[in-house]
Amino acid sequence: MRHRIAAIPGDGIGKEVVPKACASSTPRPPVRLRHRVDDVRWSCERYTETGRMMPEDGLDRLRPFEAIFLGAVGFPVCRTTSRSGAF
């Protein structure tokens, strides 16, 4: 069985550490874990470009994954008084 992981680097340091963490997650023998990491480019930076951090069907897109690896979320120009606008 192959496990599916959604990797969302997010913003800031997440863009640096999530790809490296995913690269180092390759199991070494004798471990037989098989997994696939799919990169998902959702972030506050995307929010500044599109008005949404993730697409409207974002939760549906994540349902097939068994795990979500989330990096840092936050971008200085995305400060808002309402939480409803970011997602």
Side-chain angles (χ1 to χ4, degrees), residues 5-84:
I5 302 168
I8 305 173
D11 304 292
I13 193 77
K15 292 180 184 178
E16 296 176 36
V17 298
V18 169
K20 290 182 183 192
C22 289
S24 68
S25 71
T26 303
R28 306 288 186 252
V31 176
R32 294 180 186 222
L33 174 69
R34 292 184 353 193
H35 67 285
R36 181 176 114 192
V37 178
D38 292 348
D39 191 33
V40 182
R41 294 290 173 176
W42 300 341
S43 64
C44 289
E45 186 174 5
R46 180 185 188 275
Y47 174 77
T48 64
E49 297 167 2
T50 67
R52 297 193 62 84
M53 184 177 172
M54 64 186 208
E56 281 199 41
D57 66 343
L59 293 178
D60 290 329
R61 291 184 188 192
L62 291 174
R63 289 188 206 292
F65 294 95
E66 295 173 274
I68 300 168
F69 183 18
L70 178 63
V73 177
F75 204 59
V77 293
C78 285
R79 294 191 180 133
T80 179
T81 57
S82 170
R83 292 181 188 213
S84 62

